[in-house]
């Protein structure tokens, strides 16, 4: 949120040292701050992250059909996921925002965080080369990519569990955070999923609350015999 953010600290968090730090500064500059902003970098970064994730999924899932690959990619590059990565970097504290966005809490807004992540990807590409940029993107997405399987081309576990319970007129599950471990930029969430009407409770672990909840829901589906390992 500062006009002169600590770029050294942020570069350590994202794992990349810029040859031209002004590129990173531009990537952190929202259009509300002025005419020189990150919109062009966002355009570039969006194209790169789609390409890198598409290539990785193509190689990872050799038997997947085009539609399955498209759905997996959509899950990876959607705004929610990009914003989560931005929060893991505590990106909000480094953004340069206009006074209106500052007052309205723009540094927490999902769309602004997601756009900034894409802008940083674009800035890294311009500062280095495509291979270096690819390595950075894959490192940021590593745990999320490892947790994917072809079932993820269907509805996500939380939705499948909700629909299973609703079809049997059972109450919806309750998700609670059990604990949060680690530093602010590298947290691990432990979440429970309680099904009181069925006398069951499962847990999940992930780098964000959403990922942990999805894992807990998937474990609940397995406990109910709806899905296999």
């Amino acid at each position: 949120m500062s006009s002169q953010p600590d770029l050294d600290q942020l570069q350590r968090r994202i794992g990349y040292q810029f040859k031209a730090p002004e590129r990173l500064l531009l990537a952190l500059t929202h259009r509300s701050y002025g005419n020189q902003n990150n919109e062009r970098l966002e355009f570039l970064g969006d194209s790169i992250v789609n390409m890198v994730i598409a290539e990785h999924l193509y190689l990872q899932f050799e038997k997947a059909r085009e539609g399955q690959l498209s759905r997996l990619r959509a899950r990876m590059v959607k705004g929610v996921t990009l914003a989560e990565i931005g929060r893991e970097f505590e990106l909000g504290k480094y953004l340069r925002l206009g006074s209106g966005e500052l007052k309205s809490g723009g540094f927490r807004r999902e769309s602004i965080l997601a756009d900034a992540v894409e802008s940083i990807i674009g800035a890294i590409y311009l500062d280095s080369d495509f291979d270096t940029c690819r390595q950075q993107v894959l490192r940021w997405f590593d745990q999320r990519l490892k947790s994917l399987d072809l079932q993820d081309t269907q509805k996500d576990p939380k939705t499948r569990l909700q629909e299973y319970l609703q079809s049997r007129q059972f109450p919806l599950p309750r998700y609670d955070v059990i604990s949060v471990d680690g530093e602010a930029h590298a947290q691990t969430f432990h979440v429970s999923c309680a099904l009181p009407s069925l006398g069951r409770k499962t847990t999940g672990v992930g780098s964000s609350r959403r990922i942990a909840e999805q894992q807990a829901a998937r474990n609940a589906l397995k406990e109910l015999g709806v899905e296999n390992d």
Side-chain angles (χ1 to χ4, degrees), residues 171-186:
L172 295 180
R174 188 185 73 246
Y175 297 93
D176 295 301
V177 175
I178 302 170
S179 64
V180 182
D181 305 325
E183 299 294 329
H185 64 284

Side-chain angles (χ1 to χ4, degrees), residues 1-5 28-34 91-109 112-113:
M1 294 183 296
S2 167
S3 60
Q4 293 184 317
L28 298 169
T29 306
H30 187 255
R31 64 178 176 272
S32 63
Y33 190 85
L91 205 54
K93 67 165 65 174
Y94 303 99
L95 295 174
R96 297 205 298 175
L97 305 171
S99 58
E101 285 292 353
L102 278 173
K103 291 175 183 177
S104 64
F107 56 92
R108 290 189 295 265
R109 189 164 300 132
I112 291 178
L113 289 169

Side-chain angles (χ1 to χ4, degrees), residues 8-104:
D8 289 337
Q9 184 183 57
L10 178 57
Q11 287 174 106
R12 288 192 294 272
R13 286 185 170 169
I14 67 176
Y16 180 80
Q17 189 76 28
F18 277 82
K19 302 180 188 73
E22 60 270 18
R23 290 192 173 113
L24 176 57
L25 191 63
L26 183 61
L28 298 169
T29 306
H30 187 255
R31 64 178 176 272
S32 63
Y33 190 85
N35 291 331
Q36 294 295 317
N37 57 62
N38 63 9
E39 287 186 324
R40 283 169 53 83
L41 285 174
E42 177 202 338
F43 164 79
L44 183 59
D46 174 70
S47 300
I48 292 168
V49 73
N50 272 277
M51 169 59 197
V52 170
I53 297 301
E55 178 191 48
H56 183 86
L57 294 173
Y58 179 87
L59 296 173
Q60 181 176 345
F61 297 102
E62 295 180 355
K63 297 182 180 179
R65 297 184 300 277
E66 182 272 339
Q68 291 177 304
L69 292 172
S70 293
R71 287 188 286 274
L72 286 174
R73 182 181 60 182
R75 288 176 64 82
M76 285 292 96
V77 303
K78 64 183 180 181
V80 173
T81 306
L82 292 166
E84 283 179 358
I85 291 172
R87 291 190 188 98
E88 289 165 11
F89 294 147
E90 295 186 7
L91 205 54
K93 67 165 65 174
Y94 303 99
L95 295 174
R96 297 205 298 175
L97 305 171
S99 58
E101 285 292 353
L102 278 173
K103 291 175 183 177
S104 64

